[in-house]
Structure formats: C-alpha cells, structure tokens
Amino acid sequence: MPRVTFKGASYALGGQSVLDCLTARGLTVPNSCRVGVCQSCLMRAVRGTVPDKAQAGLTRSMTARNLFLACQCFPTQDLEVALADDVIVHIEARVTAIERLNDEIRAVRLQPSRPFEYRAGQFVRLFMDPRTSRNYSLASVPSLDNDLMLHVRRVPGGLVSGWIFEHLEAGNVVTISEALGDCFYVPDKPDQDILLLGTGCGLAPLYGIARDALSSGHRGRIHLYHGSRDACGLYLLEELRRFAAKYPNFRYRPCISEAASSDEYWSGTPLDVALKETPDLTGWRVYLCGNPQMVNAARLETFLAGAGSSEIFADPFLPTTTSSAPASNLQ
Ligand SMILES: Cc1cc2nc3c(=O)[nH]c(=O)nc-3n(C[C@H](O)[C@H](O)[C@H](O)COP(=O)(O)OP(=O)(O)OC[C@H]3O[C@@H](n4cnc5c(N)ncnc54)[C@H](O)[C@@H]3O)c2cc1C
C-alpha cells in the first residue's frame, strides 16, 4: 500500500487522498473545497510521482515546481510531500483605490510592486496577515488595465471581507499570491460561443473574461447573465449595457430572482434566463462563478444542455475553513 511522508513521519494512504490522509491524523493542511477548485490545499512533492489528476488546472510553472492539489492526489506509489508555502510566490501590492460598486461590494485596486503575470478571471490570495488569507478573483485585464482589480462582497461577520471594508485604504501595502486558477479566456477558438453565468461578485472574473475576449476580437457570441435577488445586488450595469450597445456579439442580461421582468431586468436566476434564451449549448464554452449552489446546478444543467464537460470552467466562491491555521499556512 502506498505511503505518504510528511514532516518526517510516514502514513499508509489506504485509498484516501493525501489531504484526507493527513487531516484525518490531525495534521494541519490548508484546504477549502476538497473538490480541486479552490487550490487552497496546494502541496509540493518532494520525492515520488504525482498522478496527473492532482495537477489538473495548474499552470506549467506550478507543475514545474512539483505543486499539486492534495485533495485530488491519490498516489499509486510512495510520495513525500511538503506544504507549498515556500514555493507559492508572494508579492507586495499597494492599494491604489477602493471604490463602491453597490452597498455590499467594493472594487479594490492594487498596484503590484513588480511585474505580475495573470489572465483575467484567475484569482489571487489576499493576505490580511501572515496567518489569514482569502481568494479573490481578478476583474482586471492585463492588456487593458494598469492596476489589478478585485470585487469584494462584504460577508456578514466575515473576517477578511470585514477587514477590507473597515480597515483597508488607499496607500496601504498588502501581500497577494501569484495568480491561480484556470477560469480564464483562451483565444484559441475566436468563433466559439461563450456563456458567462454569475451571481453577486461572481461578476468579477466574468467581467474580466468578457472584456478580455472582446478586446481580443472574439467573433463568437459572448452572453453574460449576472444575477442577484434584487436590483440592489447588481452592479456595473451601465458599463455592461454600453458594451452590449457597442459589440453586436455581446449580450448582457441583468437578472433578478425576486421580481417580475421589466424593461431593465430579466426575472429569474441567470441559469434559468440563459437556458430559456439558449436551450441548446452544443459547442459553447461556459464559465460559471459565484454562489456554489448556483455553480453546481449550472454545471449540471449546462452539460445537459449540450456543453462539453471540458468546456465548462467553474469557480464556486467557497468559504475558507482554516482561518486559524498556523503562521506558515497559506489560508
Ligand atoms: C476561487 C475563489 C474565488 C473567490 N472570489 C471572490 C471574489 O471575487 N469576491 C469575493 O467577495 N469573494 C470571493 N471568494 C470568496 C472569498 O474567498 C471569501 O470566502 C469571502 O470573502 C469570505 O471571507 P471572510 O473572511 O470575509 O469570511 P469568513 O470569516 O471566512 O466567514 C464568515 C462566515 O461567513 C460564511 N461565508 C464565508 N464566505 C461566504 C460566502 N462567499 N457566501 C456566504 N457565506 C460565506 C462562513 O462560512 C462563515 O460562517 C472567492 C472564493 C474562491 C474559492
């Protein structure tokens, strides 16, 4: 039976993932979604071979550094592992502005202290202190924006979002990680249709992806459905309406689930409205971001409507579960 070695001790895996094996023994490994999405459980292979599945969605530079997702790692041979904190790149960034997008969402603009490579729609970890960080998606586009832009929603009682709302201000210097995640525009199929579905600040990566695709001259249809319970939860309406007027292939549908349709809004969830307008998604690329329940439902429904599973990219905004992790941890 393969064994995993961590901090000098060795454990039988017994068919478990590396993450389950280590946390079941009371060892602290940062983690959150446990389904290979949030990348909180990144670890580094020190010796041994990591199965391909454990590196799915990681960038080439991450795989070159032997990083892998502990929750997706079911080794068939012995493996020695370490926490990834010594190889995840940390970068200082100055807060250049904090702007109100609506009552509960702020745009945080950041200027990294050195060149920062990313794709619109990826996410970074923003550190409140060395012990505590959260993931925030990038709404900015490298070729269009000087600053990085995050959209942060205030979660009631939330540690990091509360700190951002109450204490963070222009001029402060914060630490962020390198860009993570695989939810971004790839200009390989300029005629492919693209569906973007999001709720709340799930608009952040979708806004970046849409602007990236439009500015890259994407020719296929780009349909963005952004949802909230009521109109107060929507934001960037005017700008997105301007894009829809400017680009014939761009459709924007602000959706509200607790009111009837009007001249300005579509009634229903973004998923319902999208599938009503486009029931056949064969050949489409789909991006899903925001509320985890919405993302999971949409992943299934868009697949059943014809989108290929390899063409569906999702970032459920899952809460982090390790805010009390020790200083060396990433989340
Ligand atoms: C890949 C990824 C991308 C993300 N991108 C963004 C983004 O662009 N903008 C953004 O605002 N957030 C985003 N998030 C969520 C973000 O990382 C934090 O989870 C969120 O800001 C709450 O952190 P907190 O410290 O304020 O709350 P915590 O102190 O961690 O939690 C306080 C309480 O609120 C609950 N909670 C935490 N998060 C949520 C939530 N999202 N919805 C409902 N309840 C919650 C917790 O379970 C807990 O009970 C993303 C998450 C992931 C995994």
Side-chain angles (χ1 to χ4, degrees):
M1 182 186 295
R3 301 180 70 83
V4 61
T5 303
F6 178 57
K7 294 190 173 170
S10 156
Y11 310 95
L13 277 155
Q16 288 179 302
S17 69
V18 168
L19 179 64
D20 286 341
C21 174
L22 297 179
T23 53
R25 286 163 174 85
L27 297 159
T28 301
V29 179
N31 69 87
S32 181
C33 74
R34 289 182 174 256
V35 291
V37 172
C38 73
Q39 300 189 0
S40 299
C41 66
L42 271 177
M43 294 192 87
R44 184 168 57 93
V46 179
R47 197 168 298 113
T49 307
V50 174
D52 288 349
K53 189 182 169 219
Q55 294 186 312
L58 302 187
T59 62
R60 220 179 302 163
S61 98
M62 292 165 107
T63 55
R65 284 178 280 154
N66 292 331
L67 294 175
F68 67 94
L69 300 172
C71 73
Q72 298 301 301
C73 187
F74 296 85
T76 50
Q77 300 161 15
D78 291 355
L79 189 66
E80 184 173 346
V81 301
L83 292 174
D85 50 357
D86 53 341
V87 276
I88 289 281
V89 179
H90 290 61
I91 297 148
E92 289 199 336
R94 194 166 52 83
V95 179
T96 53
I98 298 186
E99 294 151 6
R100 180 186 180 283
L101 293 172
N102 67 21
D103 282 353
E104 53 176 32
I105 300 179
R106 299 286 179 270
V108 178
R109 292 183 190 272
L110 299 169
Q111 182 62 245
S113 58
R114 53 193 167 88
F116 186 88
E117 271 185 41
Y118 73 102
R119 310 291 295 266
Q122 287 191 289
F123 59 89
V124 293
R125 291 186 190 167
L126 172 67
F127 287 79
M128 182 177 89
D129 59 45
R131 299 165 59 100
T132 317
S133 67
R134 298 288 183 264
N135 295 326
Y136 293 104
S137 303
L138 289 158
S140 46
V141 180
S143 58
L144 301 176
D145 303 307
N146 289 328
D147 290 344
L148 306 180
M149 181 168 46
L150 317 177
H151 296 169
V152 179
R153 180 173 78 88
R154 181 170 201 157
V155 171
L159 193 60
V160 176
S161 62
W163 166 74
I164 291 168
F165 270 67
E166 296 293 331
H167 299 291
L168 198 64
E169 45 187 53
N172 290 169
V173 173
V174 293
T175 301
I176 56 174
S177 71
E178 62 192 295
L180 304 165
D182 64 353
C183 201
F184 53 77
Y185 174 67
V186 186
D188 58 342
K189 297 179 189 165
D191 293 307
Q192 186 176 26
D193 296 320
I194 295 178
L195 176 64
L196 306 160
L197 289 187
T199 51
C201 55
L203 180 62
L206 304 181
Y207 173 72
I209 291 166
R211 288 194 309 140
D212 198 7
L214 290 169
S215 67
S216 306
H218 193 84
R219 294 187 294 264
R221 289 173 284 182
I222 303 171
H223 288 183
L224 169 59
Y225 296 79
H226 180 216
S228 180
R229 262 199 304 276
D230 53 37
C232 303
L234 298 170
Y235 63 99
L236 291 176
L237 284 132
E238 292 318 313
E239 184 169 352
L240 290 165
R241 285 181 178 136
R242 274 201 302 278
F243 286 157
K246 180 172 173 188
Y247 297 98
N249 60 336
F250 181 64
R251 175 182 291 178
Y252 167 54
R253 300 289 192 243
C255 307
I256 45 179
S257 53
E258 291 185 354
S261 292
S262 67
D263 289 348
E264 297 192 313
Y265 307 111
W266 277 254
S267 176
T269 67
L271 176 62
D272 293 343
V273 178
L275 289 179
K276 205 167 164 190
E277 292 193 336
T278 314
D280 183 0
L281 294 174
T282 306
W284 286 65
R285 177 172 294 188
V286 177
Y287 295 90
L288 311 166
C289 299
N291 178 286
Q293 286 80 30
M294 183 288 288
V295 167
N296 286 337
R299 201 197 299 260
L300 177 65
E301 294 292 325
T302 54
F303 173 72
L304 293 175
S309 56
S310 62
E311 296 290 346
I312 302 174
F313 296 85
D315 264 352
F317 286 5
L318 290 153
T320 297
T321 53
T322 54
S323 58
S324 59
S328 61
N329 288 346
L330 290 163
Q331 284 268 353

